Amino acid sequence: MEVQTFDSVFDASADTPAEAANMKARSELRSALTVRVRSWSLPQEAAAGRLGITRPRLNDLLQGKLAKFSLDALVNLATASGLAVHIQIAEAA
């Protein structure tokens, strides 16, 4: 049996490099959003209202359910939370 090593869990679980890149970007956005929302020290209902989503939707975000969020949706939520999103492009390793 051949042992494989990967740079990240996303590289290991994704079928393609593009899918892995999408998952990494969504994960980074979710992490930043979680930090932002928790910094508000608000009940989930109030925090969800600030983002323009329902409390169950916010709960999915805070629980890390990435499959429920597109990259576009996370960019929109980041913007609604007051975060600025910047994309960095570099040559693949």
Side-chain angles (χ1 to χ4, degrees):
M1 183 162 117
E2 180 183 334
V3 175
Q4 293 181 317
T5 58
F6 298 92
D7 290 334
S8 76
V9 66
F10 302 114
D11 292 327
S13 62
D15 293 329
T16 66
E19 184 182 354
N22 186 286
M23 291 169 67
K24 286 178 198 176
R26 289 187 294 135
S27 177
E28 289 177 19
L29 279 165
R30 190 209 65 86
S31 293
L33 278 161
T34 297
V35 169
R36 173 62 68 138
V37 168
R38 290 196 172 134
S39 77
W40 294 338
S41 299
L42 294 173
Q44 279 193 9
E45 192 71 35
R50 188 181 274 192
L51 293 173
I53 59 175
T54 64
R55 189 209 50 77
R57 184 92 168 129
L58 177 60
N59 191 54
D60 287 341
L61 179 74
L62 297 176
Q63 294 298 316
K65 296 180 180 177
L66 277 180
K68 293 188 173 198
F69 294 90
S70 68
L71 189 54
D72 284 351
L74 290 167
V75 167
N76 292 341
L77 289 172
T79 301
S81 77
L83 295 172
V85 178
H86 298 276
I87 298 172
Q88 180 178 347
I89 308 298
E91 289 288 332

